[in-house]
Amino acid sequence: MAGKKIVDIVRYELKDLLKENGYELYHVEFVKEGPDWFLRVYIDRDASYADGKDGSDAGYIGTGDCEIVSRFLSRRLDEIDPVDHNYFLEVSSPGLDRKLVTQEHYKKYTGHEIEVSLYQAVDGSRKHTGILESTGNDTVIIRKKDGNTVELKKEKIAGAKLTVNI
């Protein structure tokens, strides 16, 4: 079965469980690494629960949260059996240095510092760090520490993530 279809099945199967538990689906990927396949599910605390008033840990996803989703999804996938080969199921938080994958991720983190890695150098560098000023369907604009902005084409972006400043 194609990876896109498996991702769609996971999204559908998790919809109610995530809502009931105050989670949101951040990202799903079904990828082959070496000889092995991985179904990775990244969950986050729903923004309406992020203040910790519901008894949660101030909006953070913990191992118990991942276990709830993993057990449920493992049972459901065993029942419907959408994958015809072995794979590893991993459920986790997207982390503090979370990848920005979708347009929604870019929009959500506008105003935050990000690090972008490019396939080819732009302005003499393949890495750019700065405040995500704006995003469109095709571009990302970053304000660098020197105050200058750089406009990057999304098709040239190998990866983007939030930076972690401790």
mmCIF file of all heavy atoms in Angstrom, residues 39-75:
data_model
loop_
_atom_site.group_PDB
_atom_site.id
_atom_site.type_symbol
_atom_site.label_atom_id
_atom_site.label_comp_id
_atom_site.label_asym_id
_atom_site.label_seq_id
_atom_site.Cartn_x
_atom_site.Cartn_y
_atom_site.Cartn_z
ATOM 1 N N LEU A 39 6.677 3.910 10.592
ATOM 2 C CA LEU A 39 5.472 4.735 10.630
ATOM 3 C C LEU A 39 5.643 5.630 11.845
ATOM 4 O O LEU A 39 5.587 5.167 12.986
ATOM 5 C CB LEU A 39 4.214 3.878 10.753
ATOM 6 C CG LEU A 39 2.894 4.631 10.903
ATOM 7 C CD1 LEU A 39 2.666 5.587 9.736
ATOM 8 C CD2 LEU A 39 1.736 3.647 11.026
ATOM 9 N N ARG A 40 5.903 6.908 11.582
ATOM 10 C CA ARG A 40 6.155 7.856 12.670
ATOM 11 C C ARG A 40 4.965 8.796 12.806
ATOM 12 O O ARG A 40 4.539 9.420 11.836
ATOM 13 C CB ARG A 40 7.418 8.654 12.387
ATOM 14 C CG ARG A 40 8.659 7.791 12.448
ATOM 15 C CD ARG A 40 9.933 8.606 12.492
ATOM 16 N NE ARG A 40 11.069 7.735 12.612
ATOM 17 C CZ ARG A 40 11.949 7.505 11.636
ATOM 18 N NH1 ARG A 40 11.833 8.122 10.479
ATOM 19 N NH2 ARG A 40 12.947 6.679 11.829
ATOM 20 N N VAL A 41 4.486 8.885 14.035
ATOM 21 C CA VAL A 41 3.341 9.726 14.350
ATOM 22 C C VAL A 41 3.791 10.719 15.409
ATOM 23 O O VAL A 41 4.294 10.330 16.463
ATOM 24 C CB VAL A 41 2.170 8.870 14.889
ATOM 25 C CG1 VAL A 41 0.997 9.740 15.279
ATOM 26 C CG2 VAL A 41 1.766 7.809 13.867
ATOM 27 N N TYR A 42 3.635 12.002 15.098
ATOM 28 C CA TYR A 42 4.028 13.063 16.018
ATOM 29 C C TYR A 42 2.761 13.734 16.532
ATOM 30 O O TYR A 42 1.954 14.226 15.747
ATOM 31 C CB TYR A 42 4.906 14.097 15.314
ATOM 32 C CG TYR A 42 6.189 13.511 14.775
ATOM 33 C CD1 TYR A 42 6.263 13.045 13.464
ATOM 34 C CD2 TYR A 42 7.324 13.412 15.571
ATOM 35 C CE1 TYR A 42 7.436 12.505 12.957
ATOM 36 C CE2 TYR A 42 8.503 12.872 15.074
ATOM 37 C CZ TYR A 42 8.549 12.414 13.767
ATOM 38 O OH TYR A 42 9.708 11.875 13.264
ATOM 39 N N ILE A 43 2.601 13.745 17.840
ATOM 40 C CA ILE A 43 1.426 14.364 18.446
ATOM 41 C C ILE A 43 1.842 15.560 19.281
ATOM 42 O O ILE A 43 2.969 15.631 19.775
ATOM 43 C CB ILE A 43 0.620 13.360 19.310
ATOM 44 C CG1 ILE A 43 1.473 12.800 20.452
ATOM 45 C CG2 ILE A 43 0.039 12.261 18.441
ATOM 46 C CD1 ILE A 43 0.687 11.962 21.464
ATOM 47 N N ASP A 44 0.919 16.482 19.413
ATOM 48 C CA ASP A 44 1.165 17.674 20.209
ATOM 49 C C ASP A 44 -0.069 17.907 21.073
ATOM 50 O O ASP A 44 -1.134 17.345 20.815
ATOM 51 C CB ASP A 44 1.421 18.873 19.289
ATOM 52 C CG ASP A 44 2.296 19.932 19.934
ATOM 53 O OD1 ASP A 44 2.658 19.789 21.114
ATOM 54 O OD2 ASP A 44 2.613 20.914 19.246
ATOM 55 N N ARG A 45 0.053 18.731 22.061
ATOM 56 C CA ARG A 45 -1.087 19.109 22.885
ATOM 57 C C ARG A 45 -1.931 20.069 22.073
ATOM 58 O O ARG A 45 -1.406 20.981 21.440
ATOM 59 C CB ARG A 45 -0.593 19.769 24.173
ATOM 60 C CG ARG A 45 -1.647 20.124 25.171
ATOM 61 C CD ARG A 45 -2.211 18.987 25.965
ATOM 62 N NE ARG A 45 -1.227 18.206 26.672
ATOM 63 C CZ ARG A 45 -1.481 16.980 27.119
ATOM 64 N NH1 ARG A 45 -2.648 16.414 26.922
ATOM 65 N NH2 ARG A 45 -0.562 16.302 27.753
ATOM 66 N N ASP A 46 -3.232 19.868 22.064
ATOM 67 C CA ASP A 46 -4.134 20.795 21.391
ATOM 68 C C ASP A 46 -3.966 22.164 22.040
ATOM 69 O O ASP A 46 -3.847 22.274 23.260
ATOM 70 C CB ASP A 46 -5.577 20.302 21.529
ATOM 71 C CG ASP A 46 -6.571 21.163 20.799
ATOM 72 O OD1 ASP A 46 -6.805 22.298 21.255
ATOM 73 O OD2 ASP A 46 -7.112 20.710 19.784
ATOM 74 N N ALA A 47 -3.955 23.200 21.237
ATOM 75 C CA ALA A 47 -3.706 24.563 21.732
ATOM 76 C C ALA A 47 -4.666 24.953 22.844
ATOM 77 O O ALA A 47 -4.300 25.685 23.762
ATOM 78 C CB ALA A 47 -3.788 25.563 20.585
ATOM 79 N N SER A 48 -5.902 24.464 22.819
ATOM 80 C CA SER A 48 -6.867 24.833 23.850
ATOM 81 C C SER A 48 -6.542 24.181 25.198
ATOM 82 O O SER A 48 -7.058 24.588 26.225
ATOM 83 C CB SER A 48 -8.282 24.461 23.409
ATOM 84 O OG SER A 48 -8.388 23.061 23.236
ATOM 85 N N TYR A 49 -5.665 23.177 25.197
ATOM 86 C CA TYR A 49 -5.262 22.523 26.442
ATOM 87 C C TYR A 49 -3.883 22.980 26.896
ATOM 88 O O TYR A 49 -3.405 22.580 27.936
ATOM 89 C CB TYR A 49 -5.215 20.999 26.244
ATOM 90 C CG TYR A 49 -6.568 20.369 26.117
ATOM 91 C CD1 TYR A 49 -7.278 20.425 24.925
ATOM 92 C CD2 TYR A 49 -7.135 19.711 27.190
ATOM 93 C CE1 TYR A 49 -8.522 19.843 24.800
ATOM 94 C CE2 TYR A 49 -8.383 19.116 27.075
ATOM 95 C CZ TYR A 49 -9.065 19.191 25.886
ATOM 96 O OH TYR A 49 -10.288 18.613 25.767
ATOM 97 N N ALA A 50 -3.233 23.805 26.116
ATOM 98 C CA ALA A 50 -1.828 24.134 26.346
ATOM 99 C C ALA A 50 -1.561 24.944 27.597
ATOM 100 O O ALA A 50 -0.427 25.126 27.972
ATOM 101 C CB ALA A 50 -1.258 24.860 25.129
ATOM 102 N N ASP A 51 -2.593 25.440 28.260
ATOM 103 C CA ASP A 51 -2.343 26.230 29.462
ATOM 104 C C ASP A 51 -2.240 25.381 30.719
ATOM 105 O O ASP A 51 -1.961 25.882 31.788
ATOM 106 C CB ASP A 51 -3.446 27.277 29.642
ATOM 107 C CG ASP A 51 -4.829 26.671 29.789
ATOM 108 O OD1 ASP A 51 -4.946 25.423 29.861
ATOM 109 O OD2 ASP A 51 -5.791 27.445 29.841
ATOM 110 N N GLY A 52 -2.456 24.084 30.591
ATOM 111 C CA GLY A 52 -2.324 23.185 31.727
ATOM 112 C C GLY A 52 -3.525 23.176 32.654
ATOM 113 O O GLY A 52 -3.542 22.480 33.653
ATOM 114 N N LYS A 53 -4.581 23.931 32.364
ATOM 115 C CA LYS A 53 -5.748 23.996 33.243
ATOM 116 C C LYS A 53 -6.520 22.691 33.300
ATOM 117 O O LYS A 53 -7.301 22.465 34.215
ATOM 118 C CB LYS A 53 -6.688 25.112 32.790
ATOM 119 C CG LYS A 53 -6.103 26.494 32.987
ATOM 120 C CD LYS A 53 -7.047 27.560 32.480
ATOM 121 C CE LYS A 53 -6.385 28.919 32.599
ATOM 122 N NZ LYS A 53 -7.128 29.950 31.901
ATOM 123 N N ASP A 54 -6.305 21.822 32.337
ATOM 124 C CA ASP A 54 -7.004 20.547 32.321
ATOM 125 C C ASP A 54 -6.256 19.489 33.129
ATOM 126 O O ASP A 54 -6.634 18.331 33.130
ATOM 127 C CB ASP A 54 -7.181 20.064 30.881
ATOM 128 C CG ASP A 54 -5.859 19.727 30.220
ATOM 129 O OD1 ASP A 54 -4.848 20.373 30.576
ATOM 130 O OD2 ASP A 54 -5.827 18.836 29.364
ATOM 131 N N GLY A 55 -5.171 19.870 33.797
ATOM 132 C CA GLY A 55 -4.378 18.915 34.556
ATOM 133 C C GLY A 55 -3.204 18.379 33.750
ATOM 134 O O GLY A 55 -2.409 17.599 34.242
ATOM 135 N N SER A 56 -3.090 18.784 32.512
ATOM 136 C CA SER A 56 -1.972 18.336 31.684
ATOM 137 C C SER A 56 -0.705 19.068 32.122
ATOM 138 O O SER A 56 -0.753 19.999 32.902
ATOM 139 C CB SER A 56 -2.256 18.616 30.211
ATOM 140 O OG SER A 56 -2.298 20.013 29.982
ATOM 141 N N ASP A 57 0.390 18.645 31.580
ATOM 142 C CA ASP A 57 1.681 19.224 31.929
ATOM 143 C C ASP A 57 1.952 20.461 31.086
ATOM 144 O O ASP A 57 2.832 20.473 30.235
ATOM 145 C CB ASP A 57 2.774 18.179 31.749
ATOM 146 C CG ASP A 57 4.124 18.644 32.262
ATOM 147 O OD1 ASP A 57 4.164 19.622 33.025
ATOM 148 O OD2 ASP A 57 5.122 18.044 31.883
ATOM 149 N N ALA A 58 1.166 21.519 31.297
ATOM 150 C CA ALA A 58 1.363 22.831 30.658
ATOM 151 C C ALA A 58 1.585 22.744 29.157
ATOM 152 O O ALA A 58 2.405 23.451 28.609
ATOM 153 C CB ALA A 58 2.516 23.562 31.326
ATOM 154 N N GLY A 59 0.864 21.841 28.510
ATOM 155 C CA GLY A 59 0.913 21.789 27.062
ATOM 156 C C GLY A 59 1.961 20.871 26.484
ATOM 157 O O GLY A 59 2.085 20.787 25.275
ATOM 158 N N TYR A 60 2.737 20.198 27.315
ATOM 159 C CA TYR A 60 3.770 19.317 26.799
ATOM 160 C C TYR A 60 3.250 17.892 26.673
ATOM 161 O O TYR A 60 2.441 17.434 27.474
ATOM 162 C CB TYR A 60 5.006 19.332 27.696
ATOM 163 C CG TYR A 60 5.645 20.685 27.754
ATOM 164 C CD1 TYR A 60 5.535 21.482 28.885
ATOM 165 C CD2 TYR A 60 6.340 21.182 26.660
ATOM 166 C CE1 TYR A 60 6.115 22.737 28.931
ATOM 167 C CE2 TYR A 60 6.914 22.441 26.698
ATOM 168 C CZ TYR A 60 6.797 23.207 27.834
ATOM 169 O OH TYR A 60 7.365 24.445 27.870
ATOM 170 N N ILE A 61 3.758 17.193 25.687
ATOM 171 C CA ILE A 61 3.441 15.790 25.481
ATOM 172 C C ILE A 61 4.464 14.964 26.236
ATOM 173 O O ILE A 61 5.675 15.199 26.110
ATOM 174 C CB ILE A 61 3.477 15.446 23.971
ATOM 175 C CG1 ILE A 61 2.320 16.112 23.245
ATOM 176 C CG2 ILE A 61 3.453 13.941 23.740
ATOM 177 C CD1 ILE A 61 0.944 15.608 23.612
ATOM 178 N N GLY A 62 3.987 14.007 27.019
ATOM 179 C CA GLY A 62 4.878 13.132 27.765
ATOM 180 C C GLY A 62 4.831 11.713 27.244
ATOM 181 O O GLY A 62 4.062 11.383 26.337
ATOM 182 N N THR A 63 5.618 10.849 27.863
ATOM 183 C CA THR A 63 5.667 9.452 27.419
ATOM 184 C C THR A 63 4.320 8.760 27.614
ATOM 185 O O THR A 63 3.947 7.902 26.815
ATOM 186 C CB THR A 63 6.770 8.671 28.155
ATOM 187 O OG1 THR A 63 6.578 8.791 29.563
ATOM 188 C CG2 THR A 63 8.140 9.169 27.768
ATOM 189 N N GLY A 64 3.585 9.137 28.650
ATOM 190 C CA GLY A 64 2.263 8.546 28.868
ATOM 191 C C GLY A 64 1.302 8.888 27.743
ATOM 192 O O GLY A 64 0.495 8.050 27.317
ATOM 193 N N ASP A 65 1.379 10.117 27.255
ATOM 194 C CA ASP A 65 0.541 10.538 26.136
ATOM 195 C C ASP A 65 0.879 9.715 24.889
ATOM 196 O O ASP A 65 -0.013 9.239 24.180
ATOM 197 C CB ASP A 65 0.753 12.021 25.824
ATOM 198 C CG ASP A 65 0.437 12.918 27.005
ATOM 199 O OD1 ASP A 65 -0.666 12.796 27.577
ATOM 200 O OD2 ASP A 65 1.298 13.743 27.361
ATOM 201 N N CYS A 66 2.163 9.542 24.632
ATOM 202 C CA CYS A 66 2.597 8.775 23.466
ATOM 203 C C CYS A 66 2.161 7.314 23.583
ATOM 204 O O CYS A 66 1.772 6.693 22.599
ATOM 205 C CB CYS A 66 4.113 8.859 23.306
ATOM 206 S SG CYS A 66 4.692 10.535 22.939
ATOM 207 N N GLU A 67 2.203 6.793 24.801
ATOM 208 C CA GLU A 67 1.798 5.412 25.026
ATOM 209 C C GLU A 67 0.312 5.214 24.736
ATOM 210 O O GLU A 67 -0.081 4.222 24.122
ATOM 211 C CB GLU A 67 2.118 5.003 26.460
ATOM 212 C CG GLU A 67 1.854 3.544 26.741
ATOM 213 C CD GLU A 67 2.256 3.136 28.144
ATOM 214 O OE1 GLU A 67 3.049 3.854 28.784
ATOM 215 O OE2 GLU A 67 1.754 2.090 28.593
ATOM 216 N N ILE A 68 -0.521 6.158 25.145
ATOM 217 C CA ILE A 68 -1.963 6.079 24.867
ATOM 218 C C ILE A 68 -2.205 5.978 23.368
ATOM 219 O O ILE A 68 -2.945 5.118 22.887
ATOM 220 C CB ILE A 68 -2.698 7.312 25.439
ATOM 221 C CG1 ILE A 68 -2.726 7.257 26.958
ATOM 222 C CG2 ILE A 68 -4.120 7.424 24.878
ATOM 223 C CD1 ILE A 68 -3.164 8.554 27.632
ATOM 224 N N VAL A 69 -1.575 6.850 22.620
ATOM 225 C CA VAL A 69 -1.765 6.880 21.164
ATOM 226 C C VAL A 69 -1.163 5.634 20.513
ATOM 227 O O VAL A 69 -1.768 5.016 19.636
ATOM 228 C CB VAL A 69 -1.177 8.168 20.569
ATOM 229 C CG1 VAL A 69 -1.230 8.145 19.050
ATOM 230 C CG2 VAL A 69 -1.925 9.381 21.113
ATOM 231 N N SER A 70 0.011 5.237 20.954
ATOM 232 C CA SER A 70 0.681 4.077 20.380
ATOM 233 C C SER A 70 -0.131 2.799 20.573
ATOM 234 O O SER A 70 -0.311 2.018 19.628
ATOM 235 C CB SER A 70 2.065 3.912 21.006
ATOM 236 O OG SER A 70 2.724 2.791 20.464
ATOM 237 N N ARG A 71 -0.621 2.574 21.774
ATOM 238 C CA ARG A 71 -1.410 1.354 22.038
ATOM 239 C C ARG A 71 -2.684 1.333 21.208
ATOM 240 O O ARG A 71 -3.046 0.315 20.617
ATOM 241 C CB ARG A 71 -1.740 1.238 23.517
ATOM 242 C CG ARG A 71 -0.543 0.840 24.333
ATOM 243 C CD ARG A 71 -0.886 0.698 25.794
ATOM 244 N NE ARG A 71 0.322 0.481 26.541
ATOM 245 C CZ ARG A 71 0.405 -0.295 27.596
ATOM 246 N NH1 ARG A 71 -0.672 -0.906 28.050
ATOM 247 N NH2 ARG A 71 1.543 -0.447 28.210
ATOM 248 N N PHE A 72 -3.379 2.468 21.168
ATOM 249 C CA PHE A 72 -4.611 2.548 20.382
ATOM 250 C C PHE A 72 -4.330 2.301 18.908
ATOM 251 O O PHE A 72 -4.986 1.479 18.264
ATOM 252 C CB PHE A 72 -5.277 3.919 20.561
ATOM 253 C CG PHE A 72 -6.449 4.131 19.651
ATOM 254 C CD1 PHE A 72 -7.702 3.650 20.008
ATOM 255 C CD2 PHE A 72 -6.300 4.772 18.430
ATOM 256 C CE1 PHE A 72 -8.787 3.817 19.161
ATOM 257 C CE2 PHE A 72 -7.378 4.950 17.581
ATOM 258 C CZ PHE A 72 -8.621 4.467 17.940
ATOM 259 N N LEU A 73 -3.347 2.996 18.363
ATOM 260 C CA LEU A 73 -3.060 2.891 16.939
ATOM 261 C C LEU A 73 -2.539 1.502 16.580
ATOM 262 O O LEU A 73 -2.911 0.952 15.542
ATOM 263 C CB LEU A 73 -2.054 3.967 16.521
ATOM 264 C CG LEU A 73 -1.783 4.076 15.029
ATOM 265 C CD1 LEU A 73 -3.079 4.334 14.252
ATOM 266 C CD2 LEU A 73 -0.777 5.181 14.756
ATOM 267 N N SER A 74 -1.729 0.928 17.431
ATOM 268 C CA SER A 74 -1.216 -0.418 17.182
ATOM 269 C C SER A 74 -2.363 -1.420 17.078
ATOM 270 O O SER A 74 -2.399 -2.256 16.158
ATOM 271 C CB SER A 74 -0.250 -0.821 18.292
ATOM 272 O OG SER A 74 0.275 -2.100 18.041
ATOM 273 N N ARG A 75 -3.325 -1.341 18.007
ATOM 274 C CA ARG A 75 -4.507 -2.238 17.956
ATOM 275 C C ARG A 75 -5.305 -2.025 16.680
ATOM 276 O O ARG A 75 -5.690 -2.968 16.005
ATOM 277 C CB ARG A 75 -5.394 -2.015 19.174
ATOM 278 C CG ARG A 75 -4.935 -2.705 20.435
ATOM 279 C CD ARG A 75 -6.009 -2.718 21.520
ATOM 280 N NE ARG A 75 -6.491 -1.394 21.861
ATOM 281 C CZ ARG A 75 -5.968 -0.616 22.804
ATOM 282 N NH1 ARG A 75 -4.930 -1.033 23.500
ATOM 283 N NH2 ARG A 75 -6.478 0.572 23.058
#
